Amino acid sequence: MGSSPTKAAENMYCKCRLAAAKYNDKLNSREGAAELLGLSPSTLANYELNLTKIVPVESIALMADVYNAPELKRWYCKNACPLGEDMPVVELAELDRITVRALATFRKLAGVKDSLLDITADGIITEDEKPTLDNIIATLKELNEVAQTLMLWAEKNVKE
């Protein structure tokens, strides 16, 4: 198999393997990757060609580890597991972009803090306060996404 598989090109498992192949030549082929993963080449091919509908969680964890692709775990939870479909979309980004986004979100938090105190002081959220609460929740979701993105970046790039 060449280094650009056409049938599996959009498959996340294949994308992660090929990205990791830049650092480990053995991952250029399914056979080499399968050996490192302790899988048969045909099992890995089935994953990469979307022939296996439910990939075992153990295989996902192993691929994420061998490929240094923690984003694979998040992708799996968001896209393959029905319990994770409401998870925020978290994509790898460069550290400078994450930092700028984090600082912009932190700036919004100052106003959100005051608004939250104002609308919750009496313990009741009135109809006219609901749009403000929706804005607060949106900002907190944005903060969560930024935090998750930074944690993903650190998991991938900062070795312990």
Side-chain angles (χ1 to χ4, degrees):
M1 179 184 113
S3 62
S4 285
T6 54
K7 288 183 180 179
E10 293 304 311
N11 178 280
M12 185 64 165
Y13 310 125
C14 184
K15 284 181 183 181
C16 289
R17 175 177 61 81
L18 294 177
K22 295 173 187 167
Y23 309 102
N24 184 339
D25 280 344
K26 204 162 192 177
L27 298 173
N28 273 314
S29 71
R30 284 190 187 129
E31 292 76 16
E35 183 181 327
L36 291 174
L37 294 167
L39 301 172
S40 72
S42 62
T43 297
L44 185 57
N46 287 342
Y47 296 169
E48 292 185 0
L49 295 170
N50 294 319
L51 299 175
T52 300
K53 296 302 176 205
I54 300 174
V55 177
V57 174
E58 298 81 17
S59 294
I60 300 299
L62 194 54
M63 283 188 279
D65 186 46
V66 170
Y67 301 165
N68 186 30
E71 66 273 21
L72 186 57
K73 291 187 241 178
R74 291 182 182 279
W75 178 89
Y76 179 84
C77 290
K78 173 87 176 135
N79 297 286
C81 175
L83 295 177
E85 63 188 18
D86 293 334
M87 290 177 63
V89 174
V90 177
E91 295 181 11
L92 276 173
E94 295 298 322
L95 184 57
D96 61 341
R97 299 304 314 148
I98 299 168
T99 302
V100 168
R101 189 168 173 223
L103 292 174
T105 304
F106 294 159
R107 184 180 293 154
K108 291 179 187 178
L109 284 177
V112 166
K113 178 181 70 172
D114 293 337
S115 296
L116 183 59
L117 281 171
D118 290 344
I119 69 170
T120 60
D122 60 2
I124 299 168
I125 304 293
T126 62
E127 281 301 315
D128 63 315
E129 292 172 329
K130 285 184 180 179
T132 303
L133 181 61
D134 290 342
N135 183 45
I136 292 167
I137 290 171
T139 302
L140 292 174
K141 284 181 179 180
E142 185 178 336
L143 179 62
N144 181 39
E145 289 175 22
V146 170
Q148 293 293 322
T149 303
L150 181 56
M151 289 188 297
L152 180 61
W153 182 91
E155 190 175 342
K156 185 165 184 85
N157 294 289
V158 180
K159 307 293 184 226
E160 294 196 22

